[in-house]
């Protein structure tokens, strides 16, 4: 599996100016290559590289390998656009978003991230420094900060290109690491995970991963967001952007905590993880007015991604279950009840208490249903 390790660069003011000039030159070259690709319709890297290679080298003072990386970035951007259009993420062909996306060439921010391969960037793990190509020459001895676990991962598994990122006045390098997949064990049972609005994640062990404190925080964020949106000033817009970043970091942290807790329980008990598939959830669920702000502010898909890659690293079996195919009808009262396991072999009816699996285990043949309680009757 592939993981991305992010480290923080510690350049001097002179080195930071050279890195910024490099990003600006590479992104201006990417804009030029994007215009050529839009006008000529070149979709492959070889065709676009033949059309813009010499021009980019002469006009923007780039070396050979950075030009190749710039062309690859442009080709990948158009491939992503075509995939989004094909999947319908930008609406139908006559929609405003569709026309805006296809009506002009793809533009790159002046400080957008730029990939570097091993010919343009090298790591010195013992000294915790990197050497990187810039438009002002090769910069050496640029320090970086990383934890011991990150260093261990970089030394053992780093492979491929690294991206230079400038964000909020700080410099970062993200390196791709290919970690071998551990052997997946045979599960003795499954932990069902249901993602919802009231509780972010509820397992079949009756564990709810959302407390009162987190609920208050989500409501408070939604209220503050609505207040700032109502002001409609430039200052409110800037504060909304800062608050959105802070809220995104908090949600990412909570998703890490929730997924790590579920995976650790599954690994300790020798069980697999079965997560409810959220495909088409907007067509199946209608939200109340008070739930709309809190749902839109939480990345449920990110929680599923964290569960998947943490389970893969731990060797825990992981699968997504379609909720339309995880229900059973009770043979006694006819009530439809969702199964607690993906093989739909074990369930307990909430209406009459029938548990066929437990009944067969106890009686050795026929189910032993529980007698249903009347309203007001003690358990």
């Amino acid at each position: 599996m592939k993981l991305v390790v992010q480290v923080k660069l510690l350049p001097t003011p002179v080195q930071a100016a050279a890195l910024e000039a490099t990003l600006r030159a590479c992104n201006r070259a990417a804009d030029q290559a994007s215009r050529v690709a839009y006008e000529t319709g070149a979709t492959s890297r070889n065709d676009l590289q033949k059309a813009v290679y010499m021009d980019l080298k002469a006009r923007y003072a780039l070396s050979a390998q950075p030009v190749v990386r710039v062309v690859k970035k442009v080709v990948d951007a158009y491939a992503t656009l075509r995939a989004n259009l094909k999947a319908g993420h930008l609406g139908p062909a006559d929609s405003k978003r569709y026309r805006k996306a296809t009506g002009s060439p793809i533009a790159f921010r002046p400080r957008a991230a730029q990939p570097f391969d091993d010919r343009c960037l090298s790591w010195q793990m013992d000294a915790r420094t990197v050497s990187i190509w810039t438009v002002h020459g090769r910069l050496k001895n640029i320090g970086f900060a990383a934890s011991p676990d990150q260093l261990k991962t970089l030394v053992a598994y780093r492979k491929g290109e690294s991206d230079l990122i400038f964000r909020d006045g700080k410099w970062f390098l993200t390196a791709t690491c290919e970690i071998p997949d551990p052997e997946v064990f045979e599960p003795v049972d499954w932990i069902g995970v249901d993602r919802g609005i009231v509780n972010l994640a509820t397992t079949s062990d009756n564990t709810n991963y959302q407390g009162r404190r987190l609920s208050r925080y989500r409501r408070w964020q939604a209220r503050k967001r609505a207040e700032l949106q109502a002001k409609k000033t430039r200052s409110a817009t800037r504060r909304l952007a800062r608050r959105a970043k802070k809220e995104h970091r908090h949600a990412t942290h909570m998703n890490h905590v929730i997924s790590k807790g579920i995976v650790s329980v599954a690994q300790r008990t020798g069980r697999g993880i079965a997560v409810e598939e959220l495909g088409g959830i907007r067509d199946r669920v209608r939200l109340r007015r008070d739930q709309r702000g809190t749902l839109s502010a939480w990345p449920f898909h990110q929680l599923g991604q964290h569960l998947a890659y943490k389970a893969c690293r731990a060797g825990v079996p992981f699968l997504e279950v379609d909720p339309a195919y995880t229900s059973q009808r009770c043979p006694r009262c006819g009530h439809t009840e969702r199964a607690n396991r993906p093989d739909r072999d074990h369930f307990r009816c909430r209406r009459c208490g029938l548990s066929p699996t437990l009944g067969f285990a106890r009686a050795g043949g026929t189910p032993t249903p529980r007698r249903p309680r009347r309203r007001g009757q003690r358990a």
Side-chain angles (χ1 to χ4, degrees), residues 21 148 312 320:
C312 182
E320 289 188 347

Side-chain angles (χ1 to χ4, degrees), residues 213-229 239-240 242-251 293-294 297-298:
R213 183 177 180 180
L214 183 56
S215 299
R216 289 198 302 267
Y217 175 82
R218 295 174 67 190
R219 290 195 298 269
W220 182 78
Q221 287 286 358
R223 186 172 65 252
K224 289 298 181 181
R225 188 166 55 250
E227 292 175 1
L228 288 175
Q229 288 172 348
R239 293 177 62 185
L240 273 173
R242 290 196 300 268
R243 186 173 293 276
K245 293 180 181 179
K246 183 177 180 180
E247 190 174 357
H248 175 72
R249 290 194 300 268
H250 183 267
T294 56
W298 198 265

Side-chain angles (χ1 to χ4, degrees), residues 10 14 41 67 87 89 101 146 152 173 203 236 279 322 337 358 361 366 369 378:
L10 306 172
V14 177
V67 172
H89 296 161
K152 188 184 301 183
L173 269 179
T203 66
D322 191 349
E337 186 68 27
L358 295 179
T366 58
R378 283 191 173 185

Side-chain angles (χ1 to χ4, degrees), residues 329-335 347 349 351-354 369-372:
R329 183 175 297 276
C330 179
R332 187 178 188 279
C333 65
H335 176 64
F347 82 103
C349 181
R351 178 178 295 178
C352 67
L354 175 65
R370 239 191 302 174
R371 183 177 179 182

